[in-house]
Amino acid sequence: MTLESYLEGTWRAGAGEGVPVADAVTGESVTRVSSEGLDLAAAVAYARRTGLAALGELTFPQRAAALQAAALALKERKQELYDLSARAGATRRDAAVDVDGGIGTALVYASLARKGLPDHTLIVEDDPVPLGKAGTFAGRHVLTTPRGISVQINAFNFPVWGMLEKLAPALLAGLPVIVKPATPTAYIAARAVRVIAGALPPGAIQLVAGGVPGLFDLLGGQDHIGFTGSAATAARLRSDPAVTRRSARFNAEADSLNCSVLGPDAVPGQPEFDLFADALVTEMTVKAGQKCTAIRRAFVPANLIDAVCEAVEARLARVVVGAPGADGVTMGALVGLAQRDDVRTAVARLAGAGSVIYGDPGKVEVVGADAERGAFLSPLLLRVDDTARPEPHEVEAFGPVSTLMPYRDTAGLDELIARGEGSLAGSVVSHDAGFVRRVVLGAAAHHGRFLVLDRDSAAESTGHGTPMPQLVHGGPGRAGGGEEEGGLRAVHAHLQRTALQGSPAILDSIVK
């Protein structure tokens, strides 16, 4: 059966054979994805006509109430999403990160909007700024809803959270949304949209399953484009005339070679040593390492690298790969066989610069499934001692893969971190405040988010790879150069800032 798209308030299937999507665990067919024959121009017109009008009638708190209702509807039926996520290779823990994380993010935005945005459809940013000596001429800034739409292109690894963290600020800003989920997990995103669509105003959300040819030709300066995916695809989309000529707003969150640093004080026996090893294994195995924030480069003091290798290997030996839900399984499959092939190719390039010290790229023991029919892969820990080699700083294996590398001093560490050319997330694990300060000040320019993990924060820490809706998510350079989330900053990013000038009285009358 071809997966249906949700356009102009109805569900409809594309024509043609479409792209087959297989169960990541069994290899059986799940659905086919096609947008052939669907009228995307009509969908854009419907969003601008019906969706923009319906959202425009609501104040910020009313939009927040609709968003909250959608999130709560999803919460009541989240088991459906867990079940579908298992077909994409996700364990219950993996699905909770995506599904519960997405629901929680939407609820946080709804709460922030109720508390921090006015009971109005515009935001006044400041008091009148005097522009004349007699007090009869002044200026102030307002934020209003553009007369456009938000097109959101999401990655396969988080079909629920990735959608909701973009959807929430756009809807609060009053922009109707067209969601384009990644094909391998589009069936999960589509189920979520079926649940939430009834809680949202008409035209507020539409979903295209499949390609979107010609869609960017319909976008311009009033529209917003949000993208999550590869750096190569981000670069291609950024060069589209919709962005370069017609100035549609474009925000990209791209995969990056995120790093984690172990401090010299964190020797075996210290809490930070164990925290580092635990965090590395967590980031390698949650979602089978298919996270844009996962630790790809692990920098450790040269004198500790053997001890770290031993500690991480011991933890990886306890990881059980297999079918989600099978007894003892702690890591599921990659999203599909093509993704497994991509990871194997990347690992071969990385191994050429060093060695694989744990796991076998071509073989893995699997519980409850066939290792070849399913997209299973062993966790793979690599070691590269020649840190001048380009591969670990340029090649990303988007799976359960991380590379250990030694450093000898903080100056050399700064250079190693910078060679990633921009990351979404970084971390330092140390209880030495001086070392932490030195690392953070050296690394901050290259990161959108940086975590300090030690014995004092460990009990409450959300971890290296978990973005929080209250904090910005994005990063410079290779990471896309954009920002998402960040609380109400994300809502403001969808609005148009306009400077008003006139008498104080007339300015007051406009914004009241």
Side-chain angles (χ1 to χ4, degrees):
M1 182 178 294
T2 300
L3 183 66
E4 292 183 321
S5 296
Y6 183 61
L7 302 173
E8 300 176 75
T10 62
W11 290 91
R12 59 191 72 171
E17 294 186 1
V19 176
V21 176
D23 188 305
V25 177
T26 66
E28 298 173 352
S29 177
V30 175
T31 188
R32 289 181 173 271
V33 176
S34 172
S35 61
E36 184 180 338
L38 299 180
D39 192 341
L40 300 186
V44 170
Y46 178 73
R48 288 193 172 129
R49 180 183 65 252
T50 302
L52 200 59
L55 287 168
E57 293 176 355
L58 304 180
T59 64
F60 292 113
Q62 289 172 328
R63 295 170 194 165
L67 177 62
Q68 180 184 41
L72 293 177
L74 209 54
K75 186 175 182 179
E76 290 181 0
R77 294 174 59 182
K78 64 183 182 180
Q79 185 61 47
E80 299 174 25
L81 301 176
Y82 290 158
D83 295 341
L84 290 176
S85 296
R87 305 203 71 180
T91 66
R92 176 61 180 260
R93 177 181 68 163
D94 297 335
V97 173
D98 183 32
V99 177
D100 294 81
I103 293 169
T105 293
L107 291 174
V108 166
Y109 271 111
S111 176
L112 291 172
R114 287 196 305 271
K115 297 174 182 177
L117 295 179
D119 190 13
H120 208 304
T121 57
L122 62 78
I123 297 172
V124 181
E125 281 199 306
D126 48 20
D127 294 326
V129 178
L131 300 175
K133 294 182 179 180
T136 62
F137 187 56
R140 67 194 317 180
H141 296 89
V142 297
L143 298 173
T144 59
T145 302
R147 313 315 295 165
I149 67 174
S150 176
V151 173
Q152 300 173 358
I153 303 170
N154 297 321
F156 70 80
N157 50 345
F158 288 100
V160 180
W161 175 83
M163 177 174 66
L164 291 176
E165 59 100 15
K166 289 185 180 70
L167 180 72
L171 292 182
L172 290 173
L175 286 180
V177 171
I178 295 179
V179 176
K180 190 271 184 250
T183 294
T185 52
Y187 59 96
I188 304 173
R191 180 64 62 88
V193 170
R194 284 186 181 273
V195 174
I196 68 177
L200 298 174
I205 186 170
Q206 298 180 82
L207 177 139
V208 181
V212 286
L215 179 61
F216 274 38
D217 295 338
L218 306 172
L219 305 180
Q222 294 292 304
D223 302 308
H224 184 281
I225 302 166
F227 169 78
T228 299
S230 72
T233 303
R236 179 171 57 82
L237 296 179
R238 188 181 281 110
S239 66
D240 191 276
V243 179
T244 60
R245 297 180 187 175
R246 298 190 296 277
S247 301
R249 300 188 190 190
F250 181 79
N251 188 83
E253 179 223 315
D255 305 331
S256 58
L257 291 162
N258 311 294
C259 72
S260 186
V261 176
L262 180 67
D265 61 301
V267 298
Q270 294 298 313
E272 287 71 27
F273 182 89
D274 291 325
L275 288 171
F276 181 84
D278 289 342
L280 186 57
V281 171
T282 294
E283 293 303 319
M284 290 177 66
T285 56
V286 171
K287 298 286 288 186
Q290 299 168 116
K291 294 172 59 181
C292 55
T293 54
I295 299 169
R296 304 302 179 193
R297 302 178 299 155
F299 299 124
V300 303
N303 65 311
L304 295 178
I305 192 164
D306 290 334
V308 170
C309 286
E310 182 179 342
V312 175
E313 288 182 64
R315 287 164 170 79
L316 289 174
R318 298 194 290 268
V319 174
V320 178
V321 179
D327 287 345
V329 167
T330 57
M331 190 180 96
L334 299 180
V335 74
L337 296 178
Q339 182 64 21
R340 184 176 67 181
D341 290 343
D342 287 347
V343 173
R344 285 173 170 170
T345 299
V347 168
R349 292 183 62 192
L350 290 168
S355 60
V356 178
I357 60 174
Y358 182 87
D360 184 339
K363 182 180 180 181
V364 58
E365 292 186 9
V366 172
V367 174
D370 186 305
E372 288 306 310
R373 288 182 60 83
F376 295 100
L377 190 67
S378 166
L380 298 166
L381 182 67
L382 292 90
R383 175 172 172 171
V384 174
D385 289 305
D386 183 1
T387 56
R389 292 289 297 258
E391 292 89 344
H393 310 291
E394 296 176 1
V395 178
E396 180 179 24
F398 200 74
V401 183
S402 192
T403 301
L404 287 169
M405 288 180 278
Y407 71 89
R408 289 169 176 78
D409 53 48
T410 53
L413 177 61
D414 285 348
E415 182 181 350
L416 291 175
I417 291 172
R419 290 187 66 188
E421 297 185 350
S423 297
L424 295 172
S427 59
V428 56
V429 187
S430 171
H431 201 240
D432 181 339
F435 177 79
V436 166
R437 182 177 187 275
R438 177 71 181 80
V439 171
V440 170
L441 293 181
H446 305 288
H447 291 81
R449 177 171 59 86
F450 208 85
L451 169 77
V452 178
L453 179 61
D454 62 15
R455 67 194 71 178
D456 298 330
S457 64
E460 290 190 321
S461 177
T462 50
H464 171 100
T466 305
M468 300 300 292
Q470 300 91 334
L471 303 178
V472 294
H473 178 47
R478 178 180 174 133
E483 285 187 359
E484 297 177 337
E485 301 196 292
L488 296 181
R489 292 178 183 85
V491 179
H492 293 176
H494 288 78
L495 299 171
Q496 173 61 44
R497 178 177 288 104
T498 303
L500 303 180
Q501 293 175 288
S503 71
I506 198 68
L507 295 182
D508 285 342
S509 71
I510 293 172
V511 302
K512 68 179 182 180

